[in-house]
Amino acid sequence: MAAAQVAGSLPSGPAQEAQREPPLEQGRGFRCLSARLCALRPDDSSSSRTEIHLLFDQLISENYSEGSGVAPEDVSTLLVHACRLVPLNQNHLVSKLSQLIHHLLNTLQVIVDEQNLDFLLAYTISAIQQCSSWTHMQILQALAALVYCNGSKCQKYLPDLLGKSGLLMKLSDLAQSDPEVRRAAVHCMANLCLSVPGQPYLEEPYQNICFQAFLTTLQSPKSSDMDDITFCMLLQNALKGIQSLLNGGKMKLTQTDALGALLAVLKKTMFHGLPGLNIEMPTVLYPTPLPQCDGRPPIKPQQTESSTSRPAVNKRKKSKVKVKKIQQGEEEEEESSGEREVAPVTGSGRLNPHKGDTQCPSSLGVPSLPLAGSGAAGKDQVSSSFSSSIWKRVSSSESDYSDAEGGMQSKVRSYQAKVRQGALACFLSTIKSIEKKVLYGYWSAFVPDTPELGSPQSVSLMTLTLKDPSPKTRACALQVLSAILEGSKQFLSVAEDTSDHRRAFTPFSVMIASSIKELHRCLLLALVAESSSQTLTQIIKCLANLVSNSPYNRLKLSLLTKVWNQIKPYIRHKDVNVRVSSLTLLGAIVSTHAPLPEVQLLLQQPCSSGLSNSNSATPHVSPPDWWKKAPSGPFLEEATVSSPKVSSEPCWLIRLCISIVVLPKEDACSGSDAGCTGGSTYEPFPLRLEALQVLAHLARGYFSMTQVYLMELGEVICKCLGEADPSVQLHGAKLLEELGTGLIQQYKPDSSIAPDQRVPVTLVVMFWTVMLNGPLPRALQNSEHPTLQASACDALSSILPEAFSNLLSDRQILCITMLLGLNDSKNRLVKAATSRALGVYVLFPCLRQDVIFVADTANAILMSLQDKSLNVRAKAAWSLGNLTDTLIVNMETPDPSFQEEFSGLLLLKMLRSAIEASKDKDKVKSNAVRALGNLLHFLQPSHIEKPRFAEIIEEAIQALISTVLIEAAMKVRWNACYAMGNVFKNSALPLGTALWTSQAYNALTSVVTSCKNFKVRIRSAAALSVPGKREHYGSVDQYAQIWNALVTALQKSEDTTDFLEFKYCASLRTQICQALIHLLSLASASDLSCIKETLELNGDMVQSYIIQFLKSGTERDDTGAPHSPQERDQMVKTALEHISSVQTLAGDTSKRAIMGFLEDILTVYFDPSGSQVALLGLTNR
């Protein structure tokens, strides 16, 4: 490892050649000294001790900066032999040996092997037990270096180290008199907790012991005999230990007290050493939605006045950066770069960021952020972006600062900043180790709320963001806040601020809304005050996370407008990371709760509004005719003429994004433009990708504005698909899919877009012609990049059906041929996308009656249903369901040619595949049963008569029955009930006489009375009302069972423990009433006695619900049942008319009782003064 580091740092040119000596030459000094030491034998003479002292000093002083050539096993062998030479009664030699162990392992980055570790651990533990206390500091340093990344190999020594009377427990105790020894002991414990991937974790009992020790260390105040730097290092080691337990040890904080205690000390150490701030925290934080008291002492007015009257000039001297080697366990950071003076907290508690003399160097303490332009806003690997650089091995042998480097005060400030960063890194690990719903119980402890008038604002993560002088700490705080905000949409959705709340208490919804507003205010303050580009990037990403999760539809207007106006100047910032994150934020704004009227207005602002006066850079937006200067296609002029007139004001954001993607950049890349490549004339890739994502968001949420640029965007897509970079091609394909989907939405039957506001079909045809004549077919055939192929398939499936039918025939054939060909792909992503696309095409009106195409598609889908990938099978099952929907549509057309020409053998194959798929996972099963229902509905008498169909029909129906009854996902059972209703529609099937009839009805009646999900009950009741003839219901007993089950279901229609089901109660009763009336309208004389018995027991209940059904207005349920009042009362009249026509035996009172029941319903329903004549005429007949 050391060799690799050296090779990477060698200069180029002749000097490099001179240094290219064999590794053996570079390690010669170590080997000579090692040989001399290993030649010695244990000897207690004075001369021997002197020689050992001398060799140890030479080994320590040897220059290892070029360190290659020293093998780790040689180091381990040397240390073992050295331990054998040094008896434990020689304190000075033991101390020198400990220094040697620590120095060699740290400098040469050596992890000791297990066999030598065993010996060295035994020696160091014995040394602590037997040697004088003044040697303990050096011995503990050696022990810390030995156990680093070796915790899993120290199992047998853990009782000696961490047991009740363990060495580390004693030495780290608060009673330990030597603060340096205490710090070193905590350091050893932290290194023991550090785990290596693939190695066993520290056992849980020892994890808990260490956790409690670290927690106690963090909770204890600084003792009088401990200096500030030692205390900072002690806190750092304890924080590092807890973070190691949470990250590598996978420790779970399940107890509220443990979590609350940890969060309390983390909040305290987050502000450690922050100028002008000293907070006292309770021992434990408890979850509560109310603001917590942080015990911050009030600020005296005179202090406030004196501090605020100081001139706004940063008089801190610039610190020179000293290049240092980072040893294992120690890290020196330069924090002065980008620092700023901290404004004091004013009397009102407001945080006033104060920009003094600021610096913005090209390299800050924050690691460079990845330049990925894709991905959700704010998801920028917050786990590793700052934690990895903080937790290197911490050593006590920190180099002294000279006066020229800032003096002791500067050194203390640097260490305090590292403590704050360590606390934030530990907090980030804590967030990842607990559930979000638990974390949000502590929301008010870490997220600001709008302070009451005259009261100080509570300290929070935003306090650090606005006040901390270290840019790295500010970035850390923002990353933690981003992690809290990420995935908080459900929690924040309760916020409401649309009306004034003048109450004796503040509702929780108002409190959350207030917190959201304060976050916006503080982050925008930080945006204006920030000078560090890296921290600026984190502020903008944090804003994007906030925007993505805030319920703006429930908040007052202007929040987004403020964010929008303040971010616009940063779109052309000199730092590419800032530009990328600015576009990410704009993308979040246009995608949150789209379409929002506020955002619609912002998009229509004049292009010059807010795009200038930036201190960092002057943004530019191309003039209105910018695209004429860009490579243009032959269709732009036609597009301008044909486009519908939606908005007179062009959308500046669309024009900006297009210019970023297609136009050459105006100036060379800055030093921070990491995405720039040599010789590239375009903007950096991350910026172009983010611009494409913003365009996709606009196409999805604000298509009415995007459609004006349809042909221009087509040119952009062609350019992207024609580029060499696969990521640009992929984003171009995604944009094409969004545009295609937007066009489809416009032409849906339920679309609210007026016909004259839609994109004309002729223009859509022109658009897709450009796509198919351009690089889209090449992207579909690019087997080197299967993700691009899959995305291109998704784009091709988003073509408007009306436009597809108007394409030239060769373009139609091209689409179909490529999709059928790609279905044979070995890549699962491509195969899944192709299966889905074929399922879309098979519904196209111009293709669904093409028997050859439908048959080819069926064969392709059946092949995909056998794939090993669950995702492929799920997409194929969905497409099979669509294909069978097409069969039903064709069956209902007057022309019987399709049914006659469709292969019976292919129908058999489809039935067998659907039966097998119905036994698959729920994702596949839900559409498999849908397909089975359609196929059984489609079967013609000519098919059913054939013997080879009899067995498969029985098997298919049994598959549906079992799916209705199994405890599967509710969507699966719903589809199974729907499919059963489809089966009942096929009058050619022997419904009523076949053996499976009773099983099917028993399954449906079981569901309608007992299923927990009311939507499934509704669907089963609808299926029971499908058969159109009395003989389809089977025997009298079968009919009676169905009737009684429906009455029972009506009686139990409000029995549920899930309040979410109550909204379906009315629909369930509606469907059951329709089923009961339908059964009455088909009843035979033999059925009347059963009906009468039920009505005698439950007549009043049934009557009240049927009257409610008749009066229930025109609400529509999900079964397609009649919903007009005329249709409903006609159903009852038809049933009454049928019952009156049934011939019964003399003396049978059932008929009269049922007729009286129905007459009473109609009497109550109709106006007594109106329609009674018609009613009497009906009953006298």
Side-chain angles (χ1 to χ4, degrees):
M1 182 164 64
Q5 292 174 349
V6 173
S9 61
L10 291 176
S12 58
Q16 182 175 350
E17 297 298 327
Q19 293 187 34
R20 284 181 178 170
E21 299 176 8
L24 292 175
E25 294 298 319
Q26 295 181 7
R28 181 185 296 170
F30 172 84
R31 275 188 299 280
C32 289
L33 294 169
S34 177
R36 287 171 58 190
L37 186 69
C38 291
L40 298 177
R41 293 293 174 264
D43 185 356
D44 200 27
S45 66
S46 175
S47 60
S48 176
R49 289 199 300 272
T50 302
E51 187 173 0
I52 293 171
H53 261 297
L54 182 61
L55 285 171
F56 282 179
D57 284 336
Q58 288 177 318
L59 282 165
I60 291 172
S61 61
E62 180 72 19
N63 182 13
Y64 298 106
S65 59
E66 301 296 335
S68 62
V70 180
E73 56 270 20
D74 293 342
V75 177
S76 301
T77 303
L78 168 72
L79 295 177
V80 169
H81 187 72
C83 290
R84 291 196 173 104
L85 291 175
V86 178
L88 294 176
N89 60 357
Q90 296 292 327
N91 286 329
H92 286 88
L93 270 180
V94 170
S95 175
K96 187 64 64 71
L97 173 59
S98 299
Q99 291 177 41
L100 178 65
I101 293 172
H102 171 259
H103 181 73
L104 288 180
L105 295 184
N106 273 342
T107 306
L108 297 174
Q109 302 281 301
V110 172
I111 307 275
V112 182
D113 60 279
E114 192 165 0
Q115 182 178 354
N116 289 321
L117 178 69
D118 195 56
F119 176 85
L120 293 169
L121 280 178
Y123 181 88
T124 50
I125 291 171
S126 300
I128 295 175
Q129 293 168 337
Q130 298 179 35
C131 293
S132 299
S133 58
W134 66 267
T135 65
H136 288 176
M137 176 64 191
Q138 284 76 27
I139 300 171
L140 286 171
Q141 283 185 334
L143 181 62
L146 286 168
V147 300
Y148 183 80
C149 289
N150 271 327
S152 60
K153 302 172 186 174
C154 304
Q155 295 296 330
K156 73 176 185 178
Y157 296 101
L158 291 180
D160 295 329
L161 296 171
L162 300 175
K164 286 188 178 179
S165 57
L167 290 174
L168 295 180
M169 301 308 296
K170 287 181 180 178
L171 296 175
S172 65
D173 191 74
L174 297 176
Q176 170 58 234
S177 58
D178 188 339
E180 285 287 352
V181 170
R182 181 181 165 206
R183 186 206 62 75
V186 173
H187 183 205
C188 286
M189 293 172 64
N191 280 3
L192 267 173
C193 296
L194 192 65
S195 64
V196 179
Q199 297 290 333
Y201 301 134
L202 201 63
E203 293 175 1
E204 189 174 348
Y206 292 115
Q207 284 190 358
N208 294 331
I209 289 170
C210 291
F211 178 78
Q212 199 55 50
F214 296 141
L215 203 58
T216 304
T217 301
L218 292 170
Q219 289 170 337
S220 59
K222 183 171 79 73
S223 58
S224 58
D225 59 343
M226 185 180 291
D227 62 80
D228 287 334
I229 291 179
T230 302
F231 184 56
C232 286
M233 294 173 71
L234 176 67
L235 295 179
Q236 272 187 278
N237 288 327
L239 290 166
K240 166 196 163 186
I242 292 178
Q243 191 182 11
S244 295
L245 288 172
L246 294 173
N247 287 352
K250 305 298 180 187
M251 185 178 181
K252 296 297 179 187
L253 298 167
T254 53
Q255 295 183 350
T256 303
D257 284 350
L259 176 59
L262 175 59
L263 291 176
V265 296
L266 288 179
K267 183 167 183 181
K268 183 179 179 182
T269 49
M270 268 166 41
F271 300 100
H272 179 74
L274 189 65
L277 196 64
N278 182 25
I279 67 170
E280 294 296 328
M281 289 297 299
T283 309
V284 180
L285 280 178
Y286 291 103
T288 169
L290 300 175
Q292 306 214 25
C293 176
D294 53 44
R296 186 177 63 181
I299 298 175
K300 295 179 182 179
Q302 60 267 28
Q303 290 178 335
T304 304
E305 290 169 12
S306 62
S307 60
T308 54
S309 63
R310 292 174 187 169
V313 177
N314 185 349
K315 297 183 180 179
R316 187 187 300 114
K317 296 180 181 179
K318 294 182 182 179
S319 298
K320 297 178 182 178
V321 177
K322 180 180 180 182
V323 180
K324 285 193 58 181
K325 168 173 54 64
I326 296 177
Q327 297 184 354
Q328 279 179 334
E330 63 180 306
E331 176 192 18
E332 287 292 348
E333 283 180 54
E334 187 54 59
E335 287 289 353
S336 63
S337 296
E339 290 187 2
R340 61 187 181 209
E341 278 296 340
V342 181
V345 181
T346 62
S348 65
R350 296 282 176 178
L351 303 176
N352 296 326
H354 186 183
K355 292 179 67 176
D357 290 345
T358 56
Q359 306 167 38
C360 188
S362 60
S363 177
L364 291 172
V366 181
S368 181
L369 296 160
L371 295 179
S374 58
K379 297 181 181 177
D380 51 322
Q381 293 86 32
V382 291
S383 62
S384 61
S385 54
F386 68 84
S387 59
S388 60
S389 64
I390 293 175
W391 298 135
K392 303 220 166 55
R393 293 192 204 180
V394 179
S395 164
S396 66
S397 59
E398 298 284 355
S399 300
D400 293 331
Y401 276 46
S402 66
D403 289 339
E405 289 177 313
M408 186 57 66
Q409 188 178 5
S410 176
K411 184 177 179 182
V412 169
R413 281 202 303 269
S414 175
Y415 274 88
Q416 288 171 338
K418 289 181 198 174
V419 171
R420 298 196 294 274
Q421 291 156 24
L424 291 165
C426 194
F427 191 10
L428 194 61
S429 297
T430 306
I431 291 171
K432 293 187 174 185
S433 66
I434 59 177
E435 293 183 38
K436 279 296 177 75
K437 64 181 180 182
V438 176
L439 173 66
Y440 293 140
Y442 302 92
W443 174 271
S444 59
F446 298 98
V447 180
D449 189 14
T450 306
E452 295 293 330
L453 189 63
S455 63
Q457 187 179 43
S458 61
V459 292
S460 66
L461 287 165
M462 285 311 308
T463 309
L464 288 173
T465 303
L466 290 167
K467 290 173 63 66
D468 200 291
S470 162
K472 182 170 183 179
T473 310
R474 299 196 295 272
C476 292
L478 287 160
Q479 288 175 327
V480 172
L481 182 57
S482 279
I484 293 174
L485 289 172
E486 189 176 331
S488 62
K489 182 172 286 187
Q490 186 175 2
F491 172 71
L492 297 181
S493 65
V494 301
E496 187 167 12
D497 190 35
T498 53
S499 58
D500 292 329
H501 297 273
R502 301 181 183 276
R503 307 181 187 179
F505 66 95
T506 303
F508 180 70
S509 60
V510 176
M511 192 198 80
I512 295 298
S514 172
S515 186
I516 292 172
K517 287 196 297 183
E518 185 65 8
L519 276 173
H520 280 78
R521 189 186 73 84
C522 291
L523 285 170
L524 291 177
L525 274 177
L527 185 69
V528 173
E530 190 54 63
S531 58
S532 160
S533 295
Q534 285 84 352
T535 311
L536 193 60
T537 301
Q538 290 303 322
I539 293 172
I540 299 171
K541 288 187 176 182
C542 193
L543 268 170
N545 242 337
L546 176 62
V547 167
S548 297
N549 291 285
S550 296
Y552 293 101
N553 53 334
R554 296 170 61 88
L555 301 172
K556 288 181 180 177
L557 297 177
S558 82
L559 281 180
L560 281 176
T561 302
K562 290 175 183 175
V563 176
W564 182 276
N565 290 334
Q566 287 214 33
I567 200 60
K568 284 169 81 173
Y570 294 92
I571 296 169
R572 303 297 296 183
H573 192 274
K574 62 186 177 183
D575 186 278
V576 70
N577 288 338
V578 176
R579 282 185 277 163
V580 171
S581 55
S582 299
L583 282 178
T584 302
L585 175 53
L586 288 172
I589 292 174
V590 298
S591 60
T592 184
H593 300 283
L596 285 174
E598 183 180 3
V599 177
Q600 191 105 19
L601 290 173
L602 292 172
L603 288 168
Q604 292 172 345
Q605 284 180 350
C607 60
S608 59
S609 175
L611 279 170
S612 58
N613 301 323
S614 169
N615 293 329
S616 301
T618 303
H620 78 280
V621 174
S622 308
D625 60 346
W626 63 270
W627 55 269
K628 293 179 183 177
K629 302 174 186 176
S632 58
F635 300 104
L636 293 180
E637 291 76 8
E638 297 177 55
T640 306
V641 175
S642 305
S643 295
K645 295 181 181 179
V646 177
S647 170
S648 57
E649 180 65 43
C651 178
W652 68 269
L653 182 56
I654 295 177
R655 286 174 39 212
L656 172 74
C657 291
I658 293 176
S659 67
I660 289 173
V661 175
V662 302
L663 293 184
K665 59 190 174 187
E666 292 188 343
D667 51 3
C669 292
S670 66
S672 60
D673 284 0
C676 292
T677 56
S680 174
T681 59
Y682 293 103
E683 294 286 1
F685 275 124
L687 192 65
R688 298 179 70 204
L689 298 183
E690 202 62 46
L692 285 167
Q693 279 201 332
V694 174
L695 288 172
H697 290 317
L698 286 165
R700 188 184 307 124
Y702 298 88
F703 188 77
S704 60
M705 304 192 73
T706 313
Q707 70 184 57
V708 181
Y709 298 86
L710 183 64
M711 295 309 297
E712 288 93 326
L713 290 172
E715 296 289 337
V716 171
I717 292 165
C718 286
K719 179 173 180 55
C720 291
L721 290 176
E723 290 197 19
D725 188 87
S727 58
V728 176
Q729 292 177 304
L730 182 63
H731 280 73
K734 292 286 186 186
L735 175 57
L736 176 57
E737 183 186 356
E738 292 295 348
L739 288 173
T741 303
L743 291 166
I744 291 172
Q745 296 293 332
Q746 279 197 341
Y747 279 86
K748 279 193 170 181
D750 57 350
S751 172
S752 60
I753 307 296
D756 62 334
Q757 294 295 312
R758 297 175 185 173
V759 180
V761 173
T762 53
L763 186 60
V764 182
V765 173
M766 190 188 308
F767 173 79
W768 279 105
T769 302
V770 171
M771 295 299 104
L772 294 171
N773 289 338
L776 180 60
R778 287 202 303 275
L780 284 163
Q781 295 170 319
N782 190 347
S783 57
E784 293 181 6
H785 300 289
T787 307
L788 174 61
Q789 280 185 295
S791 187
C793 281
D794 291 335
L796 201 60
S797 69
S798 67
I799 187 169
L800 183 70
E802 291 86 340
F804 185 87
S805 61
N806 286 303
L807 286 174
L808 295 175
S809 59
D810 63 329
R811 300 297 90 185
Q812 294 182 3
I813 294 169
L814 174 68
C815 294
I816 295 167
T817 306
M818 283 195 296
L819 288 178
L820 289 172
L822 284 172
N823 196 68
D824 295 329
S825 173
K826 302 297 181 185
N827 186 277
R828 293 171 183 177
L829 278 176
V830 178
K831 201 162 188 177
T834 307
S835 295
R836 181 189 170 276
L838 287 171
V840 172
Y841 275 47
V842 82
L843 293 175
F844 284 3
C846 64
L847 293 178
R848 65 185 175 209
Q849 290 190 329
D850 185 336
V851 178
I852 296 175
F853 169 73
V854 173
D856 288 343
T857 300
N859 283 314
I861 291 170
L862 295 183
M863 185 175 70
S864 296
L865 269 177
Q866 311 301 318
D867 197 87
K868 293 179 181 179
S869 167
L870 175 61
N871 189 39
V872 173
R873 298 199 305 276
K875 299 289 187 187
W878 179 82
S879 293
L880 183 62
N882 283 7
L883 190 145
T884 55
D885 285 343
T886 287
L887 297 184
I888 301 302
V889 171
N890 288 337
M891 185 180 72
E892 293 168 355
T893 58
D895 184 6
S897 60
F898 184 90
Q899 294 93 298
E900 294 169 359
E901 294 177 23
F902 198 77
S903 167
L905 186 60
L906 183 55
L907 270 178
L908 271 177
K909 285 174 63 179
M910 292 168 70
L911 278 166
R912 287 196 185 97
S913 292
I915 291 168
E916 286 303 312
S918 70
K919 302 169 188 174
D920 206 332
K921 304 285 186 184
D922 283 355
K923 281 185 176 182
V924 181
K925 189 182 297 183
S926 61
N927 282 300
V929 293
R930 174 165 76 102
L932 274 178
N934 283 335
L935 288 169
L936 290 170
H937 182 193
F938 179 77
L939 289 178
Q940 305 301 305
S942 59
H943 300 131
I944 297 170
E945 292 165 0
K946 296 176 181 176
R948 61 181 178 179
F949 273 91
E951 184 180 347
I952 201 78
I953 290 171
E954 172 76 24
E955 197 177 341
I957 292 174
Q958 291 299 332
L960 287 178
I961 291 169
S962 64
T963 309
V964 168
L965 292 172
I966 60 170
E967 289 297 323
M970 293 308 164
K971 181 181 178 182
V972 174
R973 300 184 73 184
W974 189 96
N975 274 2
C977 292
Y978 181 88
M980 198 65 82
N982 266 345
V983 174
F984 293 166
K985 291 177 183 177
N986 191 341
S987 56
L989 291 171
L991 181 62
T993 57
L995 295 175
W996 49 261
T997 300
S998 60
Q999 293 174 289
Y1001 284 132
N1002 290 344
L1004 291 170
T1005 53
S1006 170
V1007 168
V1008 81
T1009 55
S1010 62
C1011 184
K1012 293 178 182 179
N1013 186 280
F1014 275 24
K1015 293 187 82 172
V1016 177
R1017 286 200 206 182
I1018 293 168
R1019 182 46 62 187
S1020 60
L1024 287 170
S1025 60
V1026 168
K1029 296 180 181 178
R1030 170 61 188 86
E1031 54 266 29
H1032 291 164
Y1033 284 100
S1035 64
V1036 173
D1037 291 340
Q1038 185 69 64
Y1039 180 96
Q1041 183 210 349
I1042 297 169
W1043 171 267
N1044 290 328
L1046 288 168
V1047 172
T1048 304
L1050 191 61
Q1051 199 169 9
K1052 295 166 65 176
S1053 60
E1054 291 185 1
D1055 297 349
T1056 179
T1057 56
D1058 186 354
F1059 77 95
L1060 293 175
E1061 297 298 328
F1062 277 113
K1063 62 183 177 181
Y1064 300 114
C1065 287
S1067 294
L1068 175 61
R1069 287 193 292 270
T1070 294
Q1071 193 56 58
I1072 293 173
C1073 288
Q1074 287 180 209
L1076 287 171
I1077 296 168
H1078 177 72
L1079 283 171
L1080 282 173
S1081 66
L1082 298 177
S1084 65
S1086 307
D1087 302 322
L1088 299 184
S1089 59
C1090 159
I1091 297 171
K1092 178 190 173 188
E1093 290 175 15
T1094 309
L1095 293 178
E1096 286 174 351
L1097 292 173
N1098 301 294
D1100 291 341
M1101 181 271 295
V1102 175
Q1103 187 180 69
S1104 66
Y1105 280 132
I1106 292 180
I1107 291 171
Q1108 187 178 335
F1109 159 66
L1110 292 173
K1111 292 181 176 180
S1112 58
T1114 60
E1115 78 267 9
R1116 182 185 294 274
D1117 53 54
D1118 65 347
T1119 61
H1123 50 80
S1124 72
Q1126 293 78 15
E1127 289 175 308
R1128 294 181 185 215
D1129 64 60
Q1130 186 58 46
M1131 288 175 65
V1132 180
K1133 290 177 184 178
T1134 302
L1136 177 57
E1137 198 171 312
H1138 171 77
I1139 295 296
S1140 67
S1141 67
V1142 173
Q1143 299 297 320
T1144 56
L1145 298 173
D1148 187 350
T1149 59
S1150 300
K1151 176 179 174 179
R1152 183 64 254 171
I1154 297 169
M1155 289 181 64
F1157 170 79
L1158 293 173
E1159 288 168 358
D1160 289 346
I1161 289 173
L1162 290 171
T1163 301
V1164 173
Y1165 173 64
F1166 285 109
D1167 186 347
S1169 61
S1171 306
Q1172 294 301 311
V1173 176
L1175 179 61
L1176 290 172
L1178 180 64
T1179 55
N1180 290 334
R1181 190 166 53 188

